[in-house]
């Protein structure tokens, strides 16, 4: 039997395992995790810590395909229903549903359709306002025009938005790929920090001419974090160089964490990342071969797909589950905890499983301690009206305590609430205080910020409340706070936080803090200097020491992009600040000093004729060979630059990760650099050095030669007519690309039938009811599963295992073990079929232990050798079986 057909035979023998079911899979009982009762027919989480109580809150009748959710401080749950999914194109299928649990029994009591929006991807509930990030479609064309961050109002609190939304940011995702692919790599979750900013998780579609309400426009190639004030002004980039993050988790001190992946052809690996303001994380052009230049992730945890995030800060929860970032992973159907420990200006971490939930998409909580989690639950890549639900989680010893309506409280009462141990409560109190009299708010907030007897997290909340209310008038008090060691780091961040006020902020507290013993304080000072844009601080930045770990990967080796490296953070931030200052002259001057390494690092990004001329002069002056080579490498790096991004292309799901640029262009100094490099090459006896530079930096200078074949850097343009019959195309493509291909390549059911019937497949399956039933019946699969669901079951075997057909591990007497799925069971005997189709009968009295496995028996990749046409043919044939 050919290898492909053998694989298909094995696959078809177990395809029935992956039929979707509305019932939950019972989780195995352990000492630390709860078990779902078999009698419970409502969908719920599969596993959770025994200290928690998890209840079904809403089902697919009200909240199908929940892409995101947000919870008001008072407990109202807003769910983003997305019946388009990540790859859908038809508008009019999305909404924000408001759910209320009036009697606090863990189940929804009433609901309203708050607003109709397409592709909701992020929600924030704040008082009478609900912020939503979603795709916008043309009213006439029905075609995606971009994504907007908008705000709805519900002043009469009837659960329905009062009218149309008001845009805060428009065009926050490039429309071309929203139109051709959908929102799978678009802009995603939103969350507000105690600093009052809305933080936005930007996918690697990037955006072109995103515009806020003040008229500020920004263009960004690739993913990162964007932020904006709640009134839609002061939009700015916070971090850059991420792939496809879905959300952010923000702690009380404004540390931010994300879970993103590197789906670049080398694996769908997930990385947990500490986001430090101004940091460059390098995806896709720097994070492999130029890792000395980036801020690395804290860990690579393997395959998955990060979604919603939350930093839990609530006193009603057990201590071991409090004060930790929680990260949802859709691909693993798991909410994770990351145990973080301080490490210089950053952290190290330890991941652990927390709550297992079917394709979890988001998580949020209210000020009373109720946590809500949304389950996509196999709703596919284009949404499903019969899939998706929401659950509530609370500690078992938890007692409901209503959170007050902050609008009815006095400033004094709000100030008391600002001292709460709940981060949600503090934020709600703060935001309401900012609507009151400036004098009252600043007086009350400053009293909290200045009180040394209060916990730091309370003082930080008071400080940011004061800073937002006082504006420029509060600078002098913040300077005083920056002189206090306990509050110095936070006050420095607050001083440099708002660009409209920075002209009035003194530089001295920052330059002084750059010599502090605390690396966190030094980091805040360095970032602040860059934001203040004072070139006189360049010399202080250049004095930041570069560690021995600043080493470029050799050749084509992959560097450590997911290994904590706290020593690299401060010089990295200093380089970002120097670039922000455009400190060309100071950097050139430092080439001949003890700070030359940092100076040359910064000059890599300064495409300025003064930088080029300064480097050439420094090269001629120095006699140190190592220094000459470093200067030469910097000049070579400046030969090209990243082409301006216009949104007409994207680097696809598997981009060229060679770097240092993705789409290059030359600039005014390129000819002079080439002439200089070629001239030095002619005089050099070390021609290999130039060949190495030519290869690593992809200079394309013919004289230098090459040792490698240069891969194309342009976007992969799929011509289905040419490649649909290419063997192995399924294995080469991402699952999203396969799903898009199935829309265009319908396949031939006759060919699919041949694949199904040839050599052995019919031995394990029957299509007609009159045939002997030796295995799962396939004659009605098309009435149970859609084409997309059948395809996903093949491509992602672990994504949708149905109840009753899970992989079972049997331990029997005599220390024997068997693995398969149960095809028959009586009081005396159990029948098990394994992955090879072999049947084993085990006496019930011989069974010592029976355990349902979380993973499927069927390995992933069984269809990898097929072409698009073959795969589509098989799917089409199976989808037509509706007997």
């Amino acid at each position: 039997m050919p290898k492909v057909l053998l694989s298909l035979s094995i696959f078809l023998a177990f395809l029935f395992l992956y039929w979707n079911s509305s019932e939950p899979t019972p989780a195995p009982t352990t000492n630390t995790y709860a078990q779902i009762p078999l009698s419970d027919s409502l969908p719920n989480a599969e596993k959770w810590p025994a200290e928690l109580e998890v209840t079904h809150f809403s089902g697919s009748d009200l909240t199908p395909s929940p892409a995101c959710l947000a919870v008001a401080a008072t407990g109202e749950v807003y769910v983003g229903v997305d019946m388009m999914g990540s790859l859908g194109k038809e508008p009019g299928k999305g909404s924000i549903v408001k759910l209320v649990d009036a009697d606090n029994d863990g189940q929804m009591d009433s609901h309203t359709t708050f607003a109709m929006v397409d592709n909701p991807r992020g929600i924030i509930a704040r008082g009478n306002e609900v912020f939503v990030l979603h795709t916008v479609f043309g009213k006439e064309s029905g075609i995606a025009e971009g994504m907007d961050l908008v705000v709805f109002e519900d002043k009469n609190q009837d659960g329905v938005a009062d009218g149309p939304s008001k845009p805060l940011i428009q065009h926050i995702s490039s429309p071309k790929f929203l139109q051709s692919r959908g929102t799978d790599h678009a802009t995603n979750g939103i969350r507000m920090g105690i600093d009052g900013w809305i933080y936005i998780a930007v996918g690697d579609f990037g955006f072109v001419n995103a515009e806020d309400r003040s008229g500020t426009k920004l263009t960004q190639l690739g993913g990162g974090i964007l932020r904006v004030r709640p009134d839609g002004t002061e939009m700015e980039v916070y971090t850059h160089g991420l792939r496809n993050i879905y959300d952010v988790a923000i702690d009380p001190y404004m540390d931010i964490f994300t879970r993103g992946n590197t789906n670049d052809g080398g694996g769908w690996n997930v990385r947990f990342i500490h986001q430090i303001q101004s940091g460059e994380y390098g995806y896709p052009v720097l994070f492999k071969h130029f890792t000395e230049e980036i801020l690395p992730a804290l860990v690579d945890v393997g395959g998955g797909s990060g979604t919603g995030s939350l930093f839990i800060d609530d006193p009603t929860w057990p201590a071991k589950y409090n004060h930790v970032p929680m990260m949802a992973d859709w691909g693993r159907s798991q909410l994770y905890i990351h145990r973080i420990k301080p490490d210089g200006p950053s952290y190290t971490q330890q991941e652990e499983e927390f709550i297992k939930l079917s394709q979890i998409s988001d998580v949020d909580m209210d000020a009373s301690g109720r946590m809500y989690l949304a389950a996509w639950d196999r709703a596919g890549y284009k949404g499903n009206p019969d899939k998706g639900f929401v659950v509530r989680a609370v500690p078992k010893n938890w007692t409901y305590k209503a959170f007050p309506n902050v609008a009815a409280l006095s400033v004094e009462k709000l100030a008391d609430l600002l001292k709460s141990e709940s981060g949600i409560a503090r934020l709600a109190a703060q935001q309401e205080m900012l609507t009151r009299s400036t004098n009252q708010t600043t007086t009350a907030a400053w009293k909290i910020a200045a009180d040394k007897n209060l916990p730091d997290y309370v003082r930080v909340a008071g400080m940011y409340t004061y800073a937002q209310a006082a504006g420029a008038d509060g600078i002098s008090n913040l300077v005083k706070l920056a002189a206090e060691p306990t509050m110095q780091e936070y006050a420095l961040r607050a001083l440099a936080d708002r660009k409209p006020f920075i002209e009035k902020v003194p530089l001295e507290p920052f330059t002084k803090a750059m010599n502090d013993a605390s690396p966190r304080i030094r980091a805040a000072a360095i970032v602040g200097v860059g934001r203040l844009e004072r070139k006189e601080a360049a010399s202080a930045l250049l004095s930041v020491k570069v560690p021995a770990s600043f080493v470029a990967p050799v050749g084509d080796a992959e560097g450590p992009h997911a290994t904590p490296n706290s020593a690299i953070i401060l010089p990295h931030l200093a380089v970002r600040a120097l670039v922000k200052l455009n400190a060309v002259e100071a950097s050139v001057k430092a080439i001949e000093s003890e700070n030359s390494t940092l100076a040359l690092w910064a000059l890599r990004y300064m495409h300025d004729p003064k930088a080029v001329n300064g480097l050439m002069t420094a090269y001629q002056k120095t006699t140190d060979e190592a220094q000459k080579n470093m200067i030469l490498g910097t000049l070579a790096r400046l030969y090209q630059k990243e082409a301006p991004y216009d949104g007409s292309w994207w680097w696809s799901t598997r981009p060229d990760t060679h770097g240092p640029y993705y789409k290059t262009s030359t600039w005014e100094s390129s000819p002079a650099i080439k002439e200089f490099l070629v001239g030095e090459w002619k005089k050099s006896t070390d021609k290999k050095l130039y060949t190495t530079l030519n290869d690593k930096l992809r200079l394309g200078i013919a004289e230098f030669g090459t040792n490698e074949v240069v891969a194309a850097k342009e976007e992969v343009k799929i011509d289905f007519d040419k490649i649909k019959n290419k063997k192995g195309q399924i294995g080469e493509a991402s699952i999203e690309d396969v799903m898009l291909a199935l829309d265009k390549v319908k396949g031939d059911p006759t060919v699919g039938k041949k694949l199904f019937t040839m050599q052995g497949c019919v031995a394990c399956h029957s299509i007609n009811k009159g045939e002997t039933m030796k295995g799962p019946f396939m004659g009605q699969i098309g009435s149970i599963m859609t084409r997309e669901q059948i395809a996903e079951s093949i491509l992602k075997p672990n994504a949708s295992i149905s109840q009753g057909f899970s992989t079972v591990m049997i331990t029997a007497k005599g220390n024997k073990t068997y693995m398969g799925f149960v095809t028959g069971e009586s009081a005396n005997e159990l029948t098990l079929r394994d992955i090879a189709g072999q049947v084993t009968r085990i006496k019930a009295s011989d069974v010592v232990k029976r355990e349902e496995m979380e993973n499927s028996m069927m390995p992933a990749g069984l269809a990898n050798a097929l072409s698009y046409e073959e795969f589509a043919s098989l799917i089409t044939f199976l989808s037509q079986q509706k007997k």
Side-chain angles (χ1 to χ4, degrees), residues 111-125:
H111 72 278
T112 53
T113 299
F114 180 79
M116 300 298 296
V117 296
D118 287 305
N119 275 142
R121 277 295 181 268
I123 310 172
I124 296 172

Side-chain angles (χ1 to χ4, degrees), residues 27-335:
T29 303
T30 69
N31 292 329
T32 57
Y33 283 90
Q35 181 177 11
I36 300 170
L38 290 173
S39 61
D40 182 9
S41 62
L42 294 173
N44 203 341
E46 296 175 36
K47 193 165 66 173
W48 60 84
E51 298 96 326
L52 303 185
E53 178 182 342
V54 179
T55 56
H56 175 86
F57 186 72
S58 68
S60 60
D61 55 333
L62 296 179
T63 55
S65 307
C68 57
L69 61 75
V71 188
T74 45
E76 296 81 10
V77 182
Y78 294 83
V79 180
V81 172
D82 185 10
M83 294 300 297
M84 289 173 62
S86 61
L87 299 180
K89 311 292 192 310
E90 298 177 9
K93 295 183 177 181
S95 63
I96 306 297
V97 178
K98 181 179 180 180
L99 308 173
V100 177
D101 178 10
D103 58 6
N104 189 47
D105 63 353
Q107 293 185 330
M108 181 277 309
D109 296 318
S110 63
H111 72 278
T112 53
T113 299
F114 180 79
M116 300 298 296
V117 296
D118 287 305
N119 275 142
R121 277 295 181 268
I123 310 172
I124 296 172
R126 183 186 75 162
N128 296 330
E129 297 177 319
V130 176
F131 299 87
V132 180
L133 178 70
H134 70 99
T135 305
V136 176
F137 287 79
K139 292 183 179 179
E140 300 294 331
S141 67
I143 297 175
E145 295 179 343
M147 297 187 79
D148 288 359
L149 174 64
V150 303
V151 61
F152 292 94
E153 286 189 316
D154 181 16
K155 292 182 178 179
N156 60 6
Q157 289 292 296
D158 64 351
V160 178
D162 295 339
S165 64
K166 297 177 182 178
L168 301 181
I169 302 178
Q170 295 178 288
H171 316 302
I172 201 171
S173 186
S174 299
K176 178 176 180 179
F177 300 98
L178 291 172
Q179 295 165 11
S180 63
R181 291 186 62 92
T183 64
D184 65 333
H185 285 249
T187 305
N188 300 298
I190 56 176
R191 192 169 293 277
M192 182 178 286
I194 197 66
D195 59 357
W197 290 87
I198 295 175
Y199 289 82
I200 307 167
V202 179
D204 57 318
F205 279 170
F207 49 83
V208 176
N209 286 329
E211 183 173 1
D212 72 7
R213 291 183 73 174
S214 67
T216 297
K217 291 185 178 182
L218 291 176
T219 293
Q220 177 171 293
L221 168 62
I225 297 176
L226 195 69
R227 69 176 190 171
V228 70
R229 300 306 300 176
D231 63 357
T233 62
E234 300 180 46
M235 174 179 63
E236 63 180 35
V237 174
Y238 189 77
T239 59
H240 179 260
L242 308 172
R243 181 180 182 266
N244 199 24
I245 58 170
Y246 199 84
D247 200 1
V248 299
I250 309 176
D251 82 357
Y253 306 101
M254 291 311 304
D255 279 310
I256 298 179
F257 304 92
T258 63
R259 192 176 178 96
N261 62 7
T262 63
N263 183 4
D264 49 36
W268 281 254
N269 286 16
V270 169
R271 301 189 301 165
F272 176 66
I273 305 170
H274 177 210
Q275 301 286 333
I276 302 177
Q277 187 172 16
S278 77
E280 170 59 53
Y281 293 84
Y283 184 88
V285 293
L286 299 178
F287 88 108
K288 278 192 172 183
H289 307 306
F290 298 84
T291 47
E292 80 276 16
E293 301 181 24
I294 69 167
L295 290 184
L298 299 186
V299 68
D300 182 325
V301 295
S305 182
T307 44
S309 305
L310 172 70
F311 190 95
I312 183 170
D313 185 29
D314 188 279
T316 67
W317 278 64
K320 66 179 178 179
Y321 303 128
N322 198 13
H323 308 305
V324 290
M326 294 183 172
M327 300 281 149
D329 196 297
W330 180 92
R332 295 186 178 188
S333 294
Q334 185 75 52
L335 180 65

